[in-house]
Amino acid sequence: MRTGGCQCGAVRYEVSAEPLALYICHCLECRKQSASAFGMSLEIPRSGLRLVAGAPKVWTREADSGRKVRCVFCPDCGSRLWHEGDDPEAGFLTVKAGSLDDPVDVSEAIHIWTARKMPGLAIPPGARSFPGEPE
């Protein structure tokens, strides 16, 4: 069981499912959202996330693929918590890994949108990586 929440503590969640993948995304949207060099998203089955406190808000944006992304965040502090597609039948969502209480192991992370990574940032040798969105 993993737990997490926003920076101010108003919104809390639990993750009961094993992660499907950990992505380190170097796209401009993730860099802006995280105010850092990349964003980290832990892909889990949608059924594995349970809201335990608070009432997050949702902002929807269009991805480069043209699909809609629902961005779930705390209405008090603004911390991004997870992303989900606009298809309610999709079987997964991505928890923003920095919102978890315990750090994730990035040694097996998949780097995506590496064509847009910040200059000077090195991808670890042998890491799975994609210049854009993986197929």
Side-chain angles (χ1 to χ4, degrees):
M1 176 76 63
R2 290 178 168 87
T3 58
C6 65
Q7 191 172 13
C8 73
V11 179
R12 299 287 302 158
Y13 63 84
E14 292 178 345
V15 175
S16 60
E18 284 301 312
L20 304 171
L22 173 63
Y23 294 101
I24 294 180
C25 183
H26 301 271
C27 79
L28 181 59
E29 289 295 329
C30 283
R31 291 191 347 236
K32 283 185 175 186
Q33 178 267 310
S34 67
S36 187
F38 50 80
M40 294 192 306
S41 297
L42 191 67
E43 186 177 64
I44 64 164
R46 184 181 291 267
S47 62
L49 180 85
R50 185 172 78 90
L51 185 65
V52 296
K57 291 209 174 214
V58 175
W59 173 69
T60 302
R61 69 171 180 85
E62 188 171 319
D64 284 348
S65 66
R67 295 184 301 238
K68 300 290 184 198
V69 177
R70 293 172 35 88
C71 307
V72 180
F73 65 97
C74 173
D76 295 330
C77 69
S79 296
R80 194 74 62 92
L81 300 167
W82 66 85
H83 291 167
E84 51 191 48
D86 60 351
D87 178 4
E89 300 300 313
F92 66 91
L93 54 80
T94 56
V95 171
K96 299 311 292 181
S99 71
L100 291 163
D101 294 333
D102 293 324
V104 294
D105 178 357
V106 299
S107 63
E108 298 294 321
I110 302 164
H111 291 256
I112 60 176
W113 288 103
T114 58
R116 297 183 180 174
K117 73 176 181 63
M118 293 181 76
L121 195 141
I123 305 297
R128 285 183 58 200
S129 64
F130 297 87
E133 188 76 23
E135 295 287 325

